[in-house]
Amino acid sequence: MYRQGDLLFVEVDEIPKDAKTDEKGILAYGEVTGHTHRIRSGVEAAMRVAAGVAYVQAMKEAHIDHEEHGTITLPPGNWQVVRQREHVPEGYRQVVD
Amino acid sequence: MTNNIDTDKIREKAAEMAQHWVDNFNPDGKPDMEGIQKLLSQRNFEDEMVITISVKSYQEVSDALRRGVRLLESDMRGASDKEIVAYVKKLMPEYDEVPADLMKHLKSFDGKSLKDASDADVDARIKELEPWRCIWDYYDMAFWESVYSQLPSDKKVDEFMNQSFFDAFKLGLGFCINLGSLVVGVALPEAHRDEEGRLHAEDKAAVVWGDDHQYWWRGVQIERDWIENKDDVDPKLAMTWENMEQRRCLTEIIGWEKVLTCVNQKEIQRDARGILIETDSLNDGEEHPRFVKVQDASTDREYILRVPPETQTASEGVAWTFDIDAKRYNPLQET
């Protein structure tokens, strides 16, 4: 697994078959900073989304960029993008930045 | 016909010029309104008569256009110099004196006069002039400067290149609405930045544009009260505010010590992943909330994340935030 800020990339065997490709490749967007976690264009990797969960399908090494966090390099494979969460008395909520 | 203009060179030069302006304008954060008005008034392109009005924000543009167009299209034939001066000063209180070419223009204008027209009629005339098609910012100016710099020197080229217009951008002019005989200059917002160029001000609004006041902390937009009334802000907000970046800013503004003292924090455990702390109740139904205090791997900034109250270690808490078992949580790379 790899981590960039509030995103964790966990390798999975396969991506759900009904996942749709998102051409923009922006995995997460910071509401107040405008910063993005994004797949570097030009690399052989695609962002896929199924049931609100993002995946990175990396045919070769995939670089994930961010304005403040260092770039991470995912080896070829299928990666589920896990957003960080936080406890609240009612359960939990996704971390927003 | 041979094309003597090297478009690549223009593009390159324009980008360079625009960057130059971006780097050099507005050095102390506050537009120099007096200087901008003076420079715009000196505009000397093609010996045209020009009325210039400089305003601090976009909110004043409509009024400036209305005053300028009304003045420009006022028939004052037959009026005395004294009457003309009184009329101009009423419309343009910012003018110390009435320029001779404007005086001459008003004495000879014989079009449809807007002098006594209603605001609605003046607005209709402004609409015909399509001012939104005549907006020049420093990128446009850079482009035209680059084009003209490619032309052989002659009077027109030299006049264009020597326009005081260009210098006004360096004093904080944001853009111009250039209707030829009427130029409305609109200043950039007053903006304050930190040493890394991010919008930031510790004791005032970081961005002021007319009535708009925005508060920023190192590139993150925050609540007004966090700056203007920081002593009255409940430190517990720094533990509960939903947006993580804004929450981090609030802890920096108030100070970690004050935040943690206010909630009577106790360290439960610490390890390589962070520090697990427990606090007094935040009045939200949990008696002893627990948090992990962590440091970002890239920025070294400290964040605080709430975890379930049964959490026993910082590692367990961090792993929980990614919905993963503590034994499995082991990133190969973390940035």
Side-chain angles (χ1 to χ4, degrees), chain A residues 1-6 8 32 68-73 82 84-87 89 92-93 96-97, chain B residues 240 243-247 286 296 298 301 305-307 320-323 328-329 331-335:
Chain A
M1 68 185 63
Y2 292 78
R3 179 174 168 187
Q4 187 180 56
D6 55 354
L8 188 70
V32 295
E68 287 192 329
H69 298 288
T71 296
I72 57 166
T73 304
V82 181
Q84 197 165 27
R85 63 179 182 169
E86 181 178 35
H87 175 77
Y92 63 84
R93 67 185 174 197
V96 287
D97 62 5
Chain B
T240 57
N243 187 286
M244 192 60 62
E245 287 299 334
Q246 291 175 324
R247 189 193 305 179
E286 264 176 22
D296 184 85
S298 292
R301 290 181 197 139
L305 286 154
R306 192 162 175 177
V307 293
W320 179 90
T321 66
F322 287 109
D323 194 14
R328 272 192 67 208
Y329 180 77
L332 291 171
Q333 187 187 5
E334 185 172 344
T335 65

Side-chain angles (χ1 to χ4, degrees), chain B residues 43-51 101 178-181:
Chain B
R43 182 167 165 256
N44 50 4
F45 189 42
E46 293 185 328
D47 300 325
E48 284 173 359
M49 192 276 303
V50 64
I51 298 171
D101 55 359
N178 186 358
L179 296 172
S181 304

